[in-house]
């Protein structure tokens, strides 16, 4: 029996969606003009979505809607209204990034099928049960995974009754999806809000290795890897491209359709993939899938490479040869475009026409005759109009009356809503209702509901969901604190070097005391297989709180889980949902780290109610006003990082090959564990960015400024239980590091008395003493290259 394989196509506008359907897509994902991660796509309206669903279903094609951004508190009312409307369509699924949205979908919209977006950075087996518990039925796996890793995660997914999907074609991000903050940090254009400015495609000043586009990588294509993905158990083969047009979508989907069908029928790959080079591409690579991360993944041309491929293939050298090849390619592109447009020109998403005719008389029921008409095969010789007629009556009869007579206004008020996304109400006739009759208005409502059910093919109409108002709870009470201290905010440190374990003591503080400092120890991203070094380290340093990173793939996740299981710490901070799930299973208290992108109260509720989370770092992407709207759950702590390097992106690929060069042609196992380099790249605006690779860490790029936010201490100390300062010196590059003991002392001074009384709803500004003003000035002199622009810009 052949495995079920879904070909999932992009649809950035109506024509592209039609092209995907006619080319043989099993499903299409598309977005509305709100709540989706492709703001640069044309996108579609809600009315168009309803028509698209009807068209797609007539071709046995499913439609998934992208709602794949992080959500702000103020948007949940609007979101609930949209989800209520979607729940009354035959939409096949929604694609989601935000944990808070997952929470309300599970709690209030159980009929909607939920898929985890690639923005959730799913890359280890522990994340599957985490997402399953939040109601997810399928996950899109991180594009950085190799075939072996995909197979391992898919096996666990099958055990959890969760489907996996993998991107098989289209643009590649050099950064882990969901963990790229490259433009958010400067101007608030967050990729997590669908406003990626593609800093990775920008031109930079020539690097030492001579590259002007050091972050630009080729497009992904697994066109010849389909058998291996099928063998790995992957259900859905997803094509990227919602900002591409109909011609691109039709060509790519048609090519993959033929390749998949040919393989299923013959057991062989029957297509050469040459047509993929005739539409937009940056050349192709399957290096992530092969697990062979090398320099050939990069390309100096961020724009369309189809011309250069044609020239190379035909060995065109002379001016005449180049001209002829370019002309031929342009003609081929024109043919592909014309072919796609010709095939979709008769596909219609027009609304069905609806006419309502009301009639009746005294002592007889009120009757409504609904006529639904639809044009079939529009534009073809066999074009015709299909009509369906439905006749319904009220349970009770009309009554002769001179008061409160039934009139056209009363009927129109209740039935005009049929002029909606599904129907164009062309007629609403009440001429055959005599004057001087009446009927109970509840009879009209019953009649309307019956008609709604019939026109909706018997599907129950679900009421609109209004989310209950969330209660704002005060800070949790610490039994060791006095009443006066309950509203104080605690300082915590983040370190990553074992030699820094005594930094708090050097600054004159105890560790983990009720009135003193917590110290988080940042664990690495990578480990030697079977590594137990950190088990011993935490057992010897029980006051240190383990801090788990965002990305833990394969054996690195296994080692991290072993640390949890062997050490059983009282408390951890994790930026990885797989670790969060295992901590929950082990009964270990955990705090959600800042890279879980928490921006709303519903995400806090999801983590608390489903996984016993005790606290969370609020995302540094949101601003002061956006923070104030968050409602703290009961007995839940809130944290915020006030000093840290500004991470722009993290990658599994090497940044040094294209910047300063590297003697190794490809990344090997030793690179992750032993490479320790730093350099910088500069864009054409003369802005420099630090490239940093720590031992056992992924290559990362940081902003030239450090994040330093002392304003929040005055503004929102009443909201936060803890402020953290990052003393790892990661991303510092060749700049001199500030005196960390002095940093601790001055930050601690800012958090001391006087504390202004606050309650759970209002946040009172804290006035600084003269001594604290000096401490604030000292911090700014210690960190001269600093910014807190995110705190003001927000999302």
């Amino acid at each position: 029996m052949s495995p079920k394989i879904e070909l999932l196509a992009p649809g950035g506008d109506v024509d592209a969606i039609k092209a995907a359907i006619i080319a043989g897509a099993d499903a299409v994902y598309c977005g509305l003009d709100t709540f989706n991660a492709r703001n640069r796509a044309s996108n579609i309206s809600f009315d168009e979505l309803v028509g698209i669903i009807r068209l797609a279903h007539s071709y046995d094609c499913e439609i998934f809607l992208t709602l794949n951004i992080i959500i702000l508190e103020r948007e949940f009312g609007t979101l609930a209204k949209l989800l209520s409307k979607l729940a009354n369509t035959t939409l096949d699924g929604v694609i989601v990034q935000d944990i808070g949205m997952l929470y309300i979908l599970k709690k209030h919209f159980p009929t909607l099928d939920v898929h985890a977006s690639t923005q959730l950075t799913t890359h280890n087996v522990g994340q599957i049960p985490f997402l399953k518990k939040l109601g997810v039925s399928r996950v899109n796996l991180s594009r950085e995974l190799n075939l072996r890793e995909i197979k391992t995660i898919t096996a666990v997914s099958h055990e959890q009754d969760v489907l996996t999907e993998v991107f098989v074609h289209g643009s590649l991000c050099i950064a882990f999806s969901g963990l790229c903050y490259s433009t958010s940090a400067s101007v608030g254009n967050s990729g997590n809000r669908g406003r990626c400015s593609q800093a990775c495609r920008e031109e930079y000043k020539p690097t030492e290795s001579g590259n002007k586009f050091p972050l630009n990588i080729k497009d992904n294509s697994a066109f010849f890897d389909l058998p291996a993905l099928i063998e790995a158990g992957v259900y859905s083969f997803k094509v990227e491209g919602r900002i591409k047009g109909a011609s691109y979508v039709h060509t790519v989907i048609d090519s993959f359709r033929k390749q998949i069908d040919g393989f299923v029928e013959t057991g062989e790959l029957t297509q050469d993939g040459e047509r993929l080079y005739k539409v937009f591409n940056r050349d192709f690579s399957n290096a992530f899938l092969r697990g062979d991360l090398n320099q050939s993944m990069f390309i100096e041309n961020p724009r369309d490479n189809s011309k250069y491929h044609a020239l190379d293939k035909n060995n065109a050298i002379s001016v005449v040869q180049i001209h002829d090849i370019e002309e031929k390619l342009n003609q081929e592109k024109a043919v592909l475009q014309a072919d796609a447009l010709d095939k979709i020109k008769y596909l219609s998403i027009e609304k069905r026409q609806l006419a309502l005719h009301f009639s009746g008389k005294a002592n007889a029921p009120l009757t409504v005759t609904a006529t639904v008409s639809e044009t079939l095969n529009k534009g073809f010789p066999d074009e015709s109009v299909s009509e369906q007629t439905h006749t319904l009556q009220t349970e009770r009869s009309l009554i002769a009356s001179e008061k409160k007579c039934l009139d056209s206004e009363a009927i129109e008020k209740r039935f005009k809503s049929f002029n909606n996304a599904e129907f164009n109400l062309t007629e609403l006739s009440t001429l055959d209702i005599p004057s001087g009759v009446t009927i109970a208005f509840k009879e009209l409502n019953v009649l309307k509901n019956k008609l709604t059910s019939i026109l909706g093919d018997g599907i129950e109409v679900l009421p609109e969901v209004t989310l209950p108002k969330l209660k704002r709870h005060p800070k949790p009470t610490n039994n060791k604190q006095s009443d006066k201290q309950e509203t104080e905010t605690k300082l915590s440190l983040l370190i990553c070097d074992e030699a820094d374990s005594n930094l708090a003591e050097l600054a004159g503080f105890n560790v983990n005391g009720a009135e003193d400092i917590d110290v988080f120890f940042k664990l690495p991203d990578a480990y030697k297989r079977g590594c137990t070094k950190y088990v011993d380290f935490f057992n010897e340093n029980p006051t240190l709180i383990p801090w788990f990173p965002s990305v833990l793939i394969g054996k690195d996740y296994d080692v991290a889980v072993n640390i949890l299981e062997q050490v059983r710490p009282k408390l951890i901070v994790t930026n990885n949902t797989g670790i969060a799930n295992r901590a929950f299973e082990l009964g270990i208290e955990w705090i959600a780290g800042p890279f879980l992108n928490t921006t709303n109260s519903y995400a806090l509720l999801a983590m608390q109610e489903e996984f016993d989370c005790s606290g969370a770092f609020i995302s540094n992407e949101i601003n002061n006003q956006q923070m104030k709207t968050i409602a703290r759950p009961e007995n839940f702590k809130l944290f915020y990082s006030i000093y840290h390097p500004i991470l722009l992106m993290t990658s599994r690929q090497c940044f040094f090959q294209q910047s300063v060069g590297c003697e190794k042609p490809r990344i090997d196992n030793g690179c992750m564990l032993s490479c320790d380099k730093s350099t910088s790249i500069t864009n054409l605006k003369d802005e420099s960015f630090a490239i940093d690779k720590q031992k056992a860490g992924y290559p990362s790029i940081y902003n030239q400024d450090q994040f330093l936010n002392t304003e929040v201490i005055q503004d929102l100390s009443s909201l936060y239980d803890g402020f953290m300062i990052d003393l790892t010196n990661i991303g510092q590059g060749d700049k001199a590091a500030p005196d960390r003991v002095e940093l601790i002392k001055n930050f601690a001074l800012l958090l001391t008395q006087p504390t202004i009384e606050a309650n759970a709803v209002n946040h009172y500004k804290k006035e600084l003493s003269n001594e604290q003003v000096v401490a604030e000035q000292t911090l700014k002199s210690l960190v001269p290259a600093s910014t807190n622009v995110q705190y003001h810009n927000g999302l």
Side-chain angles (χ1 to χ4, degrees), residues 281-316:
N281 69 87
R282 299 183 184 91
D283 203 357
F284 298 118
S285 173
N286 64 348
F288 277 136
L289 270 181
R290 293 198 323 269
D292 182 17
L293 308 187
N294 58 69
Q295 197 167 1
S296 70
M297 286 184 71
F298 292 91
I299 185 170
E300 276 292 278
N301 175 29
R303 289 166 282 278
D304 189 6
N305 188 66
S306 56
K307 178 179 75 172
Y308 302 104
H309 173 81
L311 295 176
D312 290 343
K313 182 184 176 185
N314 292 277
N315 197 28

Side-chain angles (χ1 to χ4, degrees), residues 160-171:
Q160 296 281 334
D161 197 26
V162 172
L163 300 174
T164 56
E165 67 183 31
V166 169
F167 275 107
V168 295
H169 194 84
S171 297

Side-chain angles (χ1 to χ4, degrees), residues 522-535:
K522 182 180 180 183
L523 285 157
D525 302 322
Y527 310 84
K528 291 181 179 178
R529 190 175 299 279
C531 171
T532 60
K533 168 185 174 182
Y534 293 100
V535 172

Side-chain angles (χ1 to χ4, degrees), residues 174-175 200 207 209 214-215 298 649-661 667 679 681 690-693 698-702:
I174 194 167
C200 55
T207 64
S209 57
L215 307 180
F298 292 91
M649 62 179 73
T650 297
S651 179
R652 203 174 189 183
Q653 177 55 282
C654 177
F655 290 133
F656 297 104
Q657 291 176 335
Q658 296 293 100
S659 53
V660 294
I667 297 176
T679 186
I681 53 175
I691 296 177
D692 188 280
K693 167 71 176 71
Y698 284 106
S700 300
I701 297 180
Y702 294 89

Side-chain angles (χ1 to χ4, degrees), residues 6-17:
E6 177 186 88
L7 177 56
L8 178 54
D13 58 33
V14 172
D15 280 353
I17 296 168

